[in-house]
Amino acid sequence: MRHMGPASRSFARTTGVVLLALLGGCGGTALLTKQDYAPSVRALAQGKVDDARASLLPLGEQGGFITTMEKTYLALLQGRPEIDELAHFATVVENQLRYKVSREARSFFYLHTPEDYYAGEHEVIWMHMLLSWGYALRGESEKACIEARVADNLLELSWRPAGRFDDPAMRLFVAALWAMCGDWREARVDLRAAASLDPSLGWTRELSDRETPPAHLFLILGGVGPEPYWDPQWSVTPLRSGRKIGFRLGGMKSNIEIVDSRGLRFKARRSPDAMAWYERHLVRNNEIQDLIEDSHYAKDVVTEGGVATAKIGLSTAVGLAWGVGGTVLGGAIAYAGAKAGNGDAVSTGLVIIGAGWAKGWDVMSGGARESTRQFRERVDPSVGYRLVRFLPDYLWLAWGDGHLAYPVEVRTGREARLASRGVVNRGNSVSIVFVADVRSSAGSSGGGKY
């Protein structure tokens, strides 16, 4: 297929998708879809964490890994360590962690949850990071350090380096968690690891070189999580390539300004984004579930493809009827007018012919567009793609010493949030703040404390 022109590639891609429609759906009706999450995503994009969580709570899949993670994360953004449900979940599944080595994925671990979801590496690590954060907010430093250690252990699994899952943004988050629970030595280890993973993070070495922690450490979480989208492609395996999806991160990666009430400013440095988490998630998902998904997806494509074809055929027939009917009626009027020497009647007949075919074309093209839209909606695998949503696209770190005058404001060009004093351990404070940092959050009001 390398020598196909753009038009041929487009035709092949569309044809492959239609043929694909052999395989179907993304799970049962009880599973949440992209549309179900839309109100929560919109609210979070406007910085309205309360509304985002309120929109999520009445939805289905309650008690499962995904929704438990999402509710816990949103509560933590509000400064509420409501982690008991997640802690219980972690205890129940702690012996179900599995490992997989393959030529394609090199190595990965996953958690097969009770609701039959295969949690990815970044999600399992985030589970322990959220628990560490929550325990720190509760003042349970020992438990917070234990969960930070588990997260580090998962990042340090002794697979071959080329296949091991490790991530600089996660290392920076865990470093902040170590600072929260009062172990600066471990925080320095993760800061150095982040710099080793990404040479652009040279500034982390500056922070890791400190023998003592900064008096004030700010961790700012930016973005509202990825948007999955359908990205069908042509290949020799059309069932799998036709249900291929991709991810878009909406975070603007703005410059952050942190200012206390007396005008003292802190410089914030940004981590790499989270796209690697979701690319890895896709690799892992494909490795585990390709055969399962193939069999399901094929059913839907055949069913929905047949429905779409029938609808297009019906709209074509109706459109042709309009055109032929207009031609018969208009032709008769024009013929009669010509015989009578009535030029107006001839013109009217021609107008009727043209209007009939115009209406017919509108019916045919409109029917084809609507049928194609409905077909795409029903076989689009991104609609029901399962993942933990809302996790940040990236983060910033900022730090400083000396006296800090609260309130402290965290600003982008589009929004401003207030940072509370956060967790204080051994005289040092660590504050975690959320900023949406997406275009749709423009004009939102300044937020409260988190």
Side-chain angles (χ1 to χ4, degrees), residues 125 129 151-157 164-178 186-187 189-195 197 201 277 395 397:
I125 296 168
M129 293 196 302
D152 263 344
N153 287 343
L154 291 173
L155 289 167
E156 294 167 359
L157 285 174
R164 191 182 81 200
F165 180 80
D166 205 344
D167 181 79
M170 285 186 171
R171 288 285 188 168
L172 296 177
F173 196 105
V174 180
L177 294 174
W178 281 118
E186 292 292 348
V189 172
D190 278 304
L191 290 169
R192 287 192 290 268
L197 289 166
L201 299 177
W277 308 351
L395 56 87
L397 275 183

Side-chain angles (χ1 to χ4, degrees), residues 254-281:
S254 303
N255 292 323
I256 288 285
E257 193 175 52
I258 302 174
V259 187
D260 79 352
S261 62
R262 296 183 304 174
L264 181 63
R265 297 176 185 273
F266 295 82
K267 182 177 181 180
R269 283 90 160 181
R270 191 182 67 244
S271 76
D273 67 36
M275 187 59 75
W277 308 351
Y278 302 102
E279 291 172 348
R280 178 84 168 194
H281 197 260

Side-chain angles (χ1 to χ4, degrees), residues 14 59 89 127 148 196 229 242 328-329 343 349 352 369 383 398 412 418:
T14 303
L59 300 180
F89 199 101
M127 175 175 67
S196 297
Y229 67 93
V328 171
L329 177 61
I352 290 173
R369 283 195 303 272
V383 171
T412 70
L418 294 179

Side-chain angles (χ1 to χ4, degrees), residues 8 14 33 133 187 212 230 251 313 318 322 429 445:
S8 299
T14 303
T33 67
W133 181 2
T212 58
W230 193 17
V318 173
W322 272 98
S429 70
S445 61

Side-chain angles (χ1 to χ4, degrees), residues 81-84 133-140 423:
E82 297 175 5
I83 59 173
D84 290 339
W133 181 2
Y135 284 128
L137 287 176
R138 289 181 174 184
E140 300 181 61
V423 175

Side-chain angles (χ1 to χ4, degrees), residues 6-212:
S8 299
R9 284 197 300 270
S10 176
F11 175 77
R13 179 173 173 171
T14 303
T15 303
V17 168
V18 173
L19 291 176
L20 261 169
L22 278 155
L23 296 138
C26 304
T29 55
L31 299 180
L32 299 181
T33 67
K34 190 189 300 186
Q35 288 84 352
D36 294 323
Y37 277 102
S40 289
V41 172
R42 281 195 299 271
L44 193 61
Q46 296 167 359
K48 301 175 181 177
V49 183
D50 286 348
D51 291 350
R53 194 165 187 268
S55 297
L56 180 64
L57 288 176
L59 300 180
E61 286 195 63
Q62 297 302 316
F65 177 82
I66 293 176
T67 52
T68 300
M69 285 277 288
E70 292 164 344
K71 289 187 301 181
T72 302
Y73 174 68
L74 293 175
L76 287 168
L77 291 184
Q78 297 170 293
R80 292 163 29 203
E82 297 175 5
I83 59 173
D84 290 339
E85 190 176 348
L86 186 61
H88 175 71
F89 199 101
T91 301
V92 170
V93 303
E94 66 181 356
N95 295 321
Q96 298 182 37
L97 199 62
R98 298 291 181 265
Y99 301 91
K100 172 77 175 177
V101 180
S102 70
R103 181 179 302 172
E104 293 78 11
R106 302 294 181 89
S107 66
F108 56 74
F109 60 83
Y110 63 89
L111 177 66
H112 189 188
T113 68
E115 75 272 27
D116 204 31
Y117 173 65
Y118 291 88
E121 292 156 311
H122 77 280
E123 294 169 344
V124 177
I125 296 168
W126 265 97
M127 175 175 67
H128 293 287
M129 293 196 302
L130 295 181
L131 289 173
S132 179
W133 181 2
Y135 284 128
L137 287 176
R138 289 181 174 184
E140 300 181 61
S141 296
E142 184 177 350
K143 289 184 178 180
C145 282
I146 290 172
E147 296 296 339
R149 170 60 63 202
V150 175
D152 263 344
N153 287 343
L154 291 173
L155 289 167
E156 294 167 359
L157 285 174
S158 58
W159 302 108
R160 291 172 294 172
R164 191 182 81 200
F165 180 80
D166 205 344
D167 181 79
M170 285 186 171
R171 288 285 188 168
L172 296 177
F173 196 105
V174 180
L177 294 174
W178 281 118
M180 266 188 164
C181 68
D183 195 329
W184 182 244
R185 183 181 64 177
E186 292 292 348
R188 295 173 69 190
V189 172
D190 278 304
L191 290 169
R192 287 192 290 268
S196 297
L197 289 166
D198 189 331
S200 70
L201 299 177
W203 55 266
T204 64
R205 295 192 184 280
E206 173 192 341
L207 185 54
S208 68
D209 285 342
R210 294 180 58 121
E211 295 291 335
T212 58

